[in-house]
Amino acid sequence: MKYSEDIEKRRTFGIISHPDAGKTTLTEKLLLFGGAIQTAGAVKNNKIKKTATSDFMEIEKQRGISVATSVMAFGYKDKQINILDTPGHKDFAEDTFRTLTAVDSVILVIDCANGVEAQTEKLMEVCRMRKTPVIIFINKMDRDGKESFDLLDELESSLKIKVRPLTWNIGMGDYFQGVYNIYDKSLNLFSANKTKIEEDVHAISDIQDKELDDIIGEEPAEELRGELEMIEGVYDEFNREDYLAGDVAPVFFGSAVNNFGVRELLDTFCEVSPAPRGRTTDVRAIEPGEERFSGFVFKIHANLDPKHRDRIAFLRVVSGRFERNKFYQHIRLEKKMKFPNPTSFMAQDKSIIEYAYPGDVIGLYDTGNFKIGDTLTEGEKMMFKGIPSFSPEIFQELENLDPMKSKQLEKGIRQLIDEGVAQLFIQQPGNRKIVGTVGQLQFEVINYRLINEYGAKCRFVAKNYFKACWITTDNEEMLDQFQKAKYNLLARDKDDNLVFLAETPFLLQMAEQDYPDLVFHKTSEFMLDQ
Ligand code: G4P
């Protein structure tokens, strides 16, 4: 296998959480451990503040930050780690879903007081769908939270995944003394320290040892012994294969802001997490060790300066070795392209790279050639699967307010759609544009960017749709009847697929009943299985 050493040492993972659980803080601490940054506070939070819904400058600022923190690479022990950041804000969930297609595993951060929150459930659903291995970090143990066993039960029932604690907390809040590492039988004592990495680790090979009582006190020691016994009785032994299959999530306890419990997490991550995995295409499965380069674009970022229309396309290398200035085939456009300035992302510095290997994410400057999901290869005709579109939740019709600027509006909206800011459905007659998004924030982003980057003015008119469903069938006659009956609720997506705009859950159910041979898909993932 070519480049096997380079591939084997890479670990590419996404870090996900409900906003405020501590994702940014943990990311920063991981970089600190990896030596990629020297001081805390270097990683900017890319979350859109709650008050910022109509503060466009804030959105722009956040856009800048999220380019810088989209991918952070660092070395730790013998591993080359790539962290892919995901926006926590629910309005940007689509962005997160797409980023999850580019990772090989995930670290999920949970706030010990809030437990499983709405956004976490949704994100886990996507991980489950893709069988992505997950490690869970229960954060903020320096604060009072839910009982650990209750939290584990909640994780299992809400996230529908088995869990297996690998560290265990001794007390919490004011009584938090540290964690016991079940895996390597050691005790790490807690001290609040936000800036430095200092550890107070004691090897306790036998939990019955009286030394434990001396260190943490008799009562907590007894309690810990009881809890560990319970863990062994209730949870199956940790098995890496089950974790890699996405069936079991190892759990760690800690306090990211205090650099605590992070080393255990990182060490275990390096030991158990998967090396770069292959991906499937419409033609065949591609393995990372294959000689020839292939990769796909999962994210596009527009330039913040409206005078420069260039963008950065984020490409995940799947196989072979990417080389600067070598010609590659852009499959959808059927054209050869080479890239003189591909960049890597080392913490916050962008630097030009000569080569990239499977697992790496590189930035390609783009002048409008890329769409999300595009594939580059050394010539083989294939498209990577698995960049899903989910049905939007909010629909609004786009109206042009300046007929002299129709061309700009058309171009602007197409480019924003290519970037994945929203989905576009065209309704006939009249070529009406229905824009669908997951959150209200996107409409503000679109409006702002159309004016500022394209000089086009528009207005959005709310539409009362509940879901957009992609339709497939073998029964052409039934499809024909359906199209006649529902012509005013049909549209085409950007790839010309037929979409039904259902107004209510009830009407969708009725359509499913009345037209049993039609399949109503709520994600566009089905297209990839064809
Ligand atoms: P996010 O990216 O998941 O949205 O969360 P972020 O890291 O920004 O953390 C949210 C808040 O939680 C921050 O406080 C952060 O300092 C705090 N936090 C993170 N880890 C811990 C922890 O282990 N213990 C405690 N007690 N707090 C933690 P903030 O007040 O919103 O911001 P800041 O002013 O502290 O930066």
Side-chain angles (χ1 to χ4, degrees):
M1 190 164 84
K2 236 181 165 177
Y3 316 122
S4 57
E5 260 178 46
D6 293 292
I7 300 171
E8 192 39 50
K9 70 178 185 195
R10 279 172 164 75
R11 295 289 181 274
T12 302
F13 75 99
I15 185 155
I16 59 178
S17 77
H18 190 90
D20 277 343
K23 182 170 66 71
T24 312
T25 313
L26 180 63
T27 306
E28 180 173 280
K29 301 307 161 145
L30 292 172
L31 294 176
L32 211 55
F33 273 96
I37 54 170
Q38 266 63 49
T39 48
V43 177
K44 296 280 177 301
N45 200 320
N46 84 354
K47 69 188 153 191
I48 308 273
K49 298 264 184 279
K50 287 173 200 84
T51 51
T53 8
S54 45
D55 181 347
F56 304 122
M57 283 330 288
E58 185 68 16
I59 292 171
E60 284 296 278
K61 206 172 83 202
Q62 298 300 347
R63 224 155 44 92
I65 291 169
S66 52
V67 174
T69 61
S70 286
V71 186
M72 288 160 282
F74 68 96
Y76 182 73
K77 295 192 169 166
D78 58 339
K79 298 288 186 291
Q80 177 66 37
I81 299 176
N82 298 310
I83 307 182
L84 272 61
D85 191 21
T86 56
H89 196 291
K90 72 169 180 25
D91 287 8
F92 290 90
E94 283 265 316
D95 216 36
T96 300
F97 298 153
R98 286 192 291 258
T99 298
L100 291 179
T101 64
V103 303
D104 300 301
S105 70
V106 153
I107 291 182
L108 168 64
V109 187
I110 299 273
D111 179 327
C112 71
N114 298 339
V116 176
E117 296 171 83
Q119 194 60 9
T120 329
E121 270 182 61
K122 256 194 152 163
L123 292 170
M124 259 310 290
E125 224 174 278
V126 178
C127 293
R128 263 201 320 275
M129 216 162 85
R130 311 183 60 81
K131 295 205 167 297
T132 309
V134 177
I135 295 180
I136 299 174
F137 183 75
I138 299 186
N139 192 27
K140 306 196 185 180
M141 292 307 294
D142 58 319
R143 287 211 188 140
D144 281 329
K146 300 185 180 182
E147 284 300 324
S148 303
F149 280 113
D150 292 345
L151 263 177
L152 295 184
D153 286 349
E154 190 179 324
L155 288 170
E156 288 202 330
S157 62
S158 309
L159 302 182
K160 301 186 189 72
I161 186 165
K162 279 194 186 168
V163 297
R164 183 17 156 144
L166 291 188
T167 64
W168 193 251
N169 62 301
I170 302 160
M172 66 168 68
D174 290 344
Y175 300 98
F176 183 48
Q177 295 208 57
V179 292
Y180 181 75
N181 190 331
I182 303 173
Y183 207 48
D184 70 7
K185 299 189 173 21
S186 65
L187 188 67
N188 189 0
L189 293 181
F190 175 70
S191 65
N193 189 341
K194 296 197 169 126
T195 48
K196 278 199 272 150
I197 302 168
E198 270 177 4
E199 291 182 63
D200 187 4
V201 179
H202 301 251
I204 306 274
S205 55
D206 181 1
I207 192 75
Q208 301 306 336
D209 203 322
K210 275 277 168 258
E211 194 192 344
L212 184 68
D213 303 62
D214 297 341
I215 300 173
I216 62 173
E218 244 170 68
E219 212 176 297
E222 260 325 289
E223 204 170 308
L224 177 64
R225 289 184 185 109
E227 288 174 343
L228 291 177
E229 200 177 288
M230 186 131 136
I231 291 169
E232 298 314 321
V234 173
Y235 300 99
D236 292 338
E237 189 114 334
F238 174 67
N239 176 336
R240 183 171 181 232
E241 294 313 310
D242 293 341
Y243 154 72
L244 291 178
D247 293 332
V248 171
V251 177
F252 292 82
F253 292 85
S255 169
V257 79
N258 290 299
N259 304 312
F260 191 80
V262 179
R263 162 110 47 208
E264 288 84 350
L265 172 75
L266 190 53
D267 283 345
T268 310
F269 171 81
C270 286
E271 218 170 289
V272 303
S273 69
R277 294 173 149 187
R279 295 286 188 278
T280 44
T281 69
D282 54 352
V283 180
R284 65 185 184 91
I286 306 294
E287 289 304 320
E290 292 186 21
E291 198 157 318
R292 281 145 70 97
F293 159 77
S294 66
F296 65 90
V297 171
F298 63 94
K299 183 183 177 99
I300 293 176
H301 244 291
N303 197 317
L304 294 176
D305 181 352
K307 285 194 233 63
H308 299 278
R309 214 37 92 50
D310 57 339
R311 318 188 280 189
I312 301 176
F314 289 74
L315 177 126
R316 148 103 192 198
V317 179
V318 178
S319 67
R321 182 169 78 169
F322 173 91
E323 293 177 30
R324 181 163 90 96
N325 271 330
K326 186 169 170 177
F327 275 102
Y328 292 116
Q329 184 75 10
H330 186 311
I331 300 298
R332 182 178 52 86
L333 296 183
E334 297 182 359
K335 86 176 191 190
K336 289 210 177 316
M337 294 179 75
K338 68 174 180 171
F339 304 92
N341 304 311
T343 53
S344 73
F345 306 85
M346 285 298 281
Q348 274 147 320
D349 298 330
K350 283 206 283 293
S351 52
I352 292 179
I353 47 129
E354 293 297 327
Y355 305 113
Y357 297 90
D360 283 344
V361 170
I362 52 175
L364 303 176
Y365 284 99
D366 173 39
T367 47
N369 285 308
F370 285 116
K371 274 189 194 184
I372 283 171
D374 273 341
T375 299
L376 285 183
T377 73
E378 286 194 27
E380 188 172 347
K381 275 196 182 154
M382 58 189 190
M383 285 293 275
F384 282 102
K385 290 179 169 190
I387 307 259
S389 292
F390 291 79
S391 170
E393 317 218 327
I394 305 177
F395 298 85
Q396 298 192 5
E397 185 170 346
L398 178 78
E399 281 186 6
N400 188 1
L401 287 184
D402 184 353
M404 303 297 285
K405 296 280 173 65
S406 324
K407 264 200 176 145
Q408 282 88 335
L409 183 76
E410 193 75 27
K411 184 170 177 195
I413 193 76
R414 292 271 166 203
Q415 293 206 346
L416 294 181
I417 299 300
D418 287 353
E419 275 178 43
V421 176
Q423 293 183 55
L424 182 66
F425 305 100
I426 304 287
Q427 254 192 331
Q428 301 298 355
N431 222 10
R432 296 201 323 273
K433 293 183 178 58
I434 311 287
V435 176
T437 67
V438 185
Q440 191 60 39
L441 203 50
Q442 260 87 352
F443 290 105
E444 298 177 24
V445 173
I446 295 170
N447 217 335
Y448 176 76
R449 290 188 57 193
L450 282 176
I451 294 173
N452 281 275
E453 293 171 33
Y454 300 91
K457 268 204 200 121
C458 72
R459 167 172 84 173
F460 287 106
V461 181
K463 287 289 190 185
N464 240 350
Y465 301 129
F466 149 74
K467 281 243 150 53
C469 298
W470 286 265
I471 300 169
T472 55
T473 185
D474 291 332
N475 186 339
E476 288 301 322
E477 206 182 314
M478 189 176 280
L479 181 64
D480 203 43
Q481 285 167 7
F482 179 73
Q483 283 185 280
K484 285 196 177 108
K486 306 278 182 196
Y487 70 96
N488 57 337
L489 294 173
L490 295 178
R492 297 270 167 187
D493 75 358
K494 62 179 186 341
D495 301 317
D496 214 29
N497 295 301
L498 186 65
V499 173
F500 173 49
L501 300 167
E503 290 164 296
T504 64
F506 176 71
L507 289 173
L508 175 58
Q509 208 184 342
M510 289 298 288
E512 282 170 329
Q513 262 172 30
D514 294 347
Y515 300 90
D517 287 355
L518 305 191
V519 190
F520 296 84
H521 305 267
K522 294 179 191 72
T523 79
S524 66
E525 186 112 303
F526 72 91
M527 285 185 266
L528 308 157
D529 300 328
Q530 289 177 338

